[in-house]
Amino acid sequence: KERFGSPGAVHTHFKRWLRAGFFARLWQAGLAEYDDMEGIAWLWQSIDGTMVKARRWVVEAAHSWFNRFRKLLVSYEKSIESYEALPHLAAAIIAFRKCGVINV
């Protein structure tokens, strides 16, 4: 037997959590937790795509973290909502890992 149930059951739970806005709220909670612990430069913005070398490293590191979530590399999702929920979930996991809240 599978650890989390059948693929259909997992997808049913995923869709229910998606409709409830769980993934966006989880992402926001992860950002808030990371902001409290490390601080996020919310006012910094890149104008016309130019950025200094240090900021470029931050962006490249973030891309590397997201690339570890293989589900995001090739999308087979049929709905926009499902596709948007997956990066939110990945971003929340990244933020909570960086804070030391989870160790997954």
Side-chain angles (χ1 to χ4, degrees):
K1 183 166 170 123
E2 296 179 24
R3 181 175 174 190
F4 299 107
S6 69
V10 171
H11 187 70
T12 300
H13 288 296
F14 176 79
K15 294 296 272 184
R16 185 178 335 137
W17 294 342
L18 177 62
R19 285 190 301 272
F22 172 76
F23 297 108
R25 286 196 312 272
L26 182 66
W27 170 60
Q28 291 167 350
L31 285 179
E33 182 77 22
Y34 187 80
D35 191 27
D36 289 344
M37 291 186 74
E38 299 290 330
I40 297 175
W42 293 107
L43 297 179
W44 178 82
Q45 294 182 10
S46 174
I47 299 173
D48 74 7
T50 60
M51 55 182 80
V52 296
K53 188 174 185 176
R55 295 291 182 188
R56 183 179 176 114
W57 178 87
V58 171
V59 171
E60 290 173 358
H63 286 174
S64 173
W65 297 333
F66 276 99
N67 285 340
R68 294 178 188 162
F69 292 88
R70 297 165 105 194
K71 177 71 175 163
L72 299 177
L73 296 178
V74 178
S75 176
Y76 296 104
E77 302 303 315
K78 294 181 180 178
S79 71
I80 298 293
E81 294 82 15
S82 293
Y83 177 74
E84 289 177 348
L86 293 173
H88 283 149
L89 179 59
I93 291 170
I94 290 167
F96 284 125
R97 278 181 182 165
K98 293 293 176 189
C99 295
V101 174
I102 60 172
N103 200 11
V104 177

